[in-house]
Amino acid sequence: MHRTHTCGELNISDLGKEVTLAGWVQKSRDLGGMTFIDVRDRYGITQLVFNMEEDAVIGDQARKLAREYVIKVQGKVVERSNKNAKIPTGDIEIKVSSLEILNSAKLPPFLIEDETDGGEDLRMKYRYLDLRRNPVRNNLVLRHKMAQEIRKYLDSQNFLEVETPVLIKSTPEGARDFVVPSRMNPGEFYALPQSPQTFKQLLMVSGFDRYFQIVKCFRDEDLRADRQPEFTQIDCEMAFIEQEDILNLFEGLIRSLFKSVKGIDLNEVPRMVYADAMRLYGSDKPDTRFGMEFVELNDVLKGAGFPVFDNAELVVGINAKGCAEYTRKQLDELTDFVKRPQIGATGLVYLRCNADGSLKSSVDKFYGEEQLKAWAAAFNAEPGDLILVMAGAADKARKQLNELRLEMGSRLGLRDKNQFAPLWVIDFPLLEWDEESGRYHAMHHPFTSPKPEDIALLDTKPGEVRANAYDLVINGTEIGGGSIRIHDRALQSLMFKHLGFTEEEAQKQFGFLLDAFEFGAPPHGGIAFGFDRLVSIFAGLDSIRDVIAFPKNNSGRDVMIDSPSTISEEQLKELSIKTVS
């Protein structure tokens, strides 16, 4: 053994022990007659002391050590005169009698410390060095602990962990697939799974009752902070259940995680129908840590001769409480914020409810005092409040106001990362219209069951059909989603028809599933949680990259290993792939 103890476990009770430690040099301090070295491993830091007067040879060795050298030392645990209460080993140090350099190291391109001087691009290139830093390592320790707790909970609920294939069939619905050419079947391709969806349904047909898997999934889509081309799901499916069973069981999982990992007792998770989420927050994943709910103002503000409001499908606003003293500069900043291309608003209207009770709007010439009072009353506004209003096409205005609401929540300190507001959003639309393709698409996926009472609307009002679908949202982030599945061949075939599949296309793509339904498929449903997102919420991070050991950058590249990369002409030839000249 290279060590008898780790660098994080020795304390005052170990005084006098002869120990062997191994790790990386964190820093050194040469004080002439004495040299102090901090040695680090994943468990912590221990201070080493070298006395030149007692052993000049080993002291000279110590002076030659540089950051990140890998060393092994033997020595006696002694009490530290200058104690460090910030670390568990701060009461002791090791009086070194033997030093061995296991490996030297080049000067790292950035400091391996909690507060590093390395930018994100540099740290991604040298990710193996970044992983030595406590904040990044602690995120992966958290990830490990959460994975263990998830397995423990699901095992206690009689779930079986079953692995499903990684090389599967490409399907046209959803995001783009990553495809893999088959050498043994020239001109044909596998796809990497976006989800084990059909396989977990087949497991239900097989009688596997309760399945789960912490599984890698892949989507070839544009990236942002909460997306990676490969990501991890907590994938679950249950047979002989209804929606209520799934919500209760997996609410139990989330509450168990918060209790065991963070020591937080969550209250019962509230539920909100999709229609209310869009009406009150303009989002199907509302951040309910704070209020600022939408108020619709068509009846209050239309008809006064202000064209922006009179010509709008929807006039809607929020009450930013206590913000009436915002300066003109601050209001201009908010206007510029909503005008950004990614939000796309043309402007912003406001009403100040001044501390003296007077009212002042940015469109005073169109509204008299009584109208302004009605405007303020619609929000139950008090002196000191600031009303912010947007108008336009209904869906667009709601989405734009949602962005403004979140911005105001951040500015007012209402989005505390240490506060958690989980929410079930239920009763999603089954289908959504896509202007580009000129047809309906499944809002979740084509295997989602419509609510039984809405099935008759499929032929006449498909846009009004509700799904037996549900999402779990925490702090405005979608953490998981699922649905009760279709388990009847006739209904599944009808669903494919409404999604624009011919019978031949449906049979070619999903014939294996349709055929399976004819052999006694039980009622079943499930849910999948984004594990990376869930860990990032627990860690208080905005990006999922720092909870993944080796993530890709915003362009989908691994800059550490320089991937994706070209392959040789010989490999291309074996795969029957012609290069594009």
Side-chain angles (χ1 to χ4, degrees), residues 168-182:
I168 65 167
K169 185 187 186 85
S170 182
T171 58
E173 290 290 315
R176 294 185 188 89
D177 288 326
F178 282 101
V179 294
V180 181
S182 171

Side-chain angles (χ1 to χ4, degrees), residues 330-340 345-348:
Q330 288 174 301
L331 290 167
D332 287 345
E333 286 175 354
L334 293 178
T335 303
D336 291 341
F337 172 80
V338 300
K339 284 183 174 180
R340 293 189 309 170
T346 56
L348 178 65

Side-chain angles (χ1 to χ4, degrees), residues 361-435:
S361 83
S362 56
V363 287
D364 271 356
K365 67 179 181 179
F366 296 100
Y367 296 94
E369 184 178 352
E370 292 304 314
Q371 290 169 305
L372 295 180
K373 286 181 179 178
W375 184 347
F379 291 87
N380 295 317
E382 300 172 327
D385 291 350
L386 176 68
I387 310 302
L388 301 170
V389 177
M390 304 186 74
D395 289 347
K396 187 177 290 187
R398 287 192 180 101
K399 289 178 182 178
Q400 292 165 348
L401 188 60
N402 168 58
E403 296 294 336
L404 179 60
R405 175 183 177 269
L406 295 177
E407 174 69 11
M408 290 306 298
S410 297
R411 290 188 178 214
L412 296 173
L414 302 174
R415 304 180 74 188
D416 182 356
K417 291 179 181 178
N418 295 312
Q419 180 185 352
F420 301 95
L423 173 74
W424 285 112
V425 179
I426 60 175
D427 291 359
F428 281 81
L430 181 70
L431 306 169
E432 57 184 346
W433 181 257
D434 180 64
E435 292 289 347

